[in-house]
Amino acid sequence: MPDKITGDSGPRHLGDIDKLIHEPARLMIMSYLFVVESADFVFLVRQTGLTWGNLSAHISKLEEAGYVEVLKEFVGKKPHTMLSLTEQGRNAFTDYRKQMQQVFKDLPEN
Amino acid sequence: MHATVDLKHIEQKSWRSNFQDGITELSLGLMFLAFAFAQIFEQLGLTSPWNILVLALPALAISILGKRMITQPRVGRVKFGPRRKTARKRMLVLSITSTVFLVTLVTLTALGIFPGRIAAALPGFGFMAVVALGTIAFMALFAFLLDYPRLALLGVIVGLSVVAAELLRDLVGRPWHFLIAYGTAGVIMLAMGALLLISFMRTYPPLVSEAPDAG
C-alpha cells in the first residue's frame, strides 16, 4: 500500500523518521511539552524521571534544533525558567506521530 | 512503543498531579471545622464573622501557601493547553454563579423566606434531601469540570453532613448538631488530606535543583 507521507511502502521509510525526536528520553520530553503550553524543569524531571543533567542535555539538543524554546519569566520577584515547544517543534512532533503510525500500519500482522 | 504514545493519558497524568497533594481536602476540612465550631466560639465570646474566620482564614492560607510552598517546588510549574483553560473559564463562571446563588440564599434567609417557607413547602425530609442532593450535584459538576474525581467524593461527605446536621438538630439540639455533623465531616476530610499529603511528600521528595531558576 503506498505511503501517504513518503510515497513509499513498508517500513523502509523508517529512515525518514526524525531521529532527534525518536530517542526515548527526547520523545518523552516532546510528548509532555506537546500536551501543555509550557512547563518548568522540575515538572519535566518529575514526569519523565530523567536526571537534571540528562534533561538539561536533551533540552539543549532540542533547543539547538529549534524545537524547544526557553522562556525566562518572573514568579513574584524570582526568575523562573519555563520551557515550551516552538511552532517548528509542534509540527515536527505531529509529523513524527503520523510517520510512526504509518510505519506500524504498514507492518504485516505476523 | 513509540507509536502508542498516549498523549491524552500524559496530559491527564500531568493535570491530576496537581491534585494529589491533599491540600484541597485539608482546607475544606478546616473550613468544615470552622462551621462546626462557629456557634461554640460565639458562645465563648468570639463574635461573627470572627467565629468562622478564626478557622476559615487558616484554611485559605493552607490552600494558597500549601500549593506555593509544598506542591509547586515538588511537582513543578506547568501551564496547560486550551482544553484546560476552557475548563478553568467554565469553573470561573460556575464560581461566580454559585457566589450569586449564595448571596441570594443569604438575602432570602435574612428576609425569613429561606429556609422557613421553602422548608415548609417540602414535607418530611424533602427539604433536607434537596439541599443535600443539590450540594452533591454541585460538587460533582465541579469535579467533572476540573477532571478531579475525588471532589465528587468530598461532595458526598458534604451532602451527608447537611443531612446529619438536620437529623441531629432535634436529637442533640443546637449547637451540638453542627459540631457533630460538620465536625465529623471536617475530621474525615482532614484525615484524607493528611494521608494524601504524607503520600504526596513521600512520592515527591524535595528536589535538589542543579538547573538555574528551576525551583
Side-chain angles (χ1 to χ4, degrees):
Chain A
M1 188 179 76
D3 187 280
K4 284 178 187 171
I5 298 160
T6 59
D8 206 344
S9 63
R12 277 193 298 142
H13 56 278
L14 259 173
D16 299 333
I17 292 288
D18 190 332
K19 289 182 184 64
L20 194 73
I21 300 177
H22 196 62
E23 198 282 328
R26 286 194 289 272
L27 177 61
M28 265 200 291
I29 297 168
M30 291 289 284
S31 301
Y32 276 102
L33 288 178
F34 187 78
V35 295
V36 300
E37 195 179 282
S38 60
D40 67 2
F41 271 93
V42 178
F43 176 83
L44 287 174
V45 163
R46 286 302 192 197
Q47 300 293 331
T48 60
L50 297 170
T51 62
W52 284 110
N54 226 335
L55 177 67
S56 193
H58 287 304
I59 291 288
S60 296
K61 280 184 185 168
L62 292 168
E63 196 184 358
E64 277 168 28
Y67 289 175
V68 167
E69 63 180 331
V70 177
L71 311 157
K72 298 276 181 187
E73 58 177 42
F74 281 87
V75 178
K77 286 180 182 176
K78 278 185 175 177
H80 196 85
T81 306
M82 295 290 278
L83 305 157
S84 93
L85 283 190
T86 59
E87 193 65 36
Q88 188 190 342
R90 286 198 174 269
N91 292 338
F93 187 76
T94 307
D95 289 344
Y96 170 83
R97 282 185 75 201
K98 283 180 189 165
Q99 285 172 326
M100 285 307 294
Q101 278 163 357
Q102 195 61 49
V103 166
F104 281 89
K105 200 176 152 191
D106 290 347
L107 281 175
E109 283 300 315
N110 277 309
Chain B
M1 180 191 79
H2 291 158
T4 56
V5 172
D6 188 347
L7 292 177
K8 201 177 170 188
H9 173 74
I10 287 175
E11 200 263 354
Q12 195 172 51
K13 187 179 151 225
S14 313
W15 172 260
R16 288 187 177 175
S17 68
N18 282 306
F19 302 121
Q20 300 311 314
D21 52 16
I23 300 283
T24 309
E25 285 78 4
L26 283 175
S27 34
L28 252 176
L30 211 52
M31 205 72 182
F32 262 72
L33 284 188
F35 295 140
F37 282 98
Q39 291 198 353
I40 292 189
F41 284 151
E42 201 170 345
Q43 284 175 4
L44 292 172
L46 213 58
T47 54
S48 180
W50 297 108
N51 59 339
I52 285 186
L53 288 181
V54 72
L55 283 176
L57 286 179
L60 193 68
I62 284 176
S63 181
I64 297 168
L65 295 177
K67 287 281 176 199
R68 192 174 295 171
M69 297 172 81
I70 298 173
T71 314
Q72 277 186 4
R74 284 175 160 82
V75 294
R77 285 174 64 84
V78 59
K79 291 176 186 169
F80 286 91
R83 192 167 77 93
R84 299 296 182 183
K85 280 184 180 168
T86 309
R88 280 196 172 151
K89 275 180 196 162
R90 282 186 194 144
M91 275 289 301
L92 186 69
V93 171
L94 194 66
S95 299
I96 292 168
T97 313
S98 60
T99 307
V100 171
F101 178 72
L102 206 66
V103 169
T104 313
L105 217 62
V106 170
T107 312
L108 290 176
T109 308
L111 293 171
I113 299 167
F114 184 86
R117 287 183 211 170
I118 297 170
L122 292 163
F125 295 116
F127 176 69
M128 186 195 313
V130 167
V131 173
L133 288 175
T135 310
I136 293 169
F138 188 71
M139 294 282 277
L141 186 62
F142 266 87
F144 173 73
L145 288 176
L146 266 180
D147 189 12
Y148 178 15
R150 217 169 44 244
L151 205 56
L153 175 67
L154 295 179
V156 173
I157 296 171
V158 172
L160 287 178
S161 71
V162 172
V163 175
E166 282 302 308
L167 289 174
L168 286 168
R169 189 193 295 269
D170 296 333
L171 219 65
V172 294
R174 293 171 76 97
W176 304 107
H177 71 303
F178 278 142
L179 187 70
I180 296 170
Y182 295 153
T184 308
V187 168
I188 291 171
M189 285 191 256
L190 278 178
M192 275 173 71
L195 287 175
L196 285 164
L197 185 63
I198 291 167
S199 161
F200 174 82
M201 288 169 87
R202 277 186 183 163
T203 312
Y204 301 106
L207 279 171
V208 182
S209 163
E210 292 166 19
D213 314 331

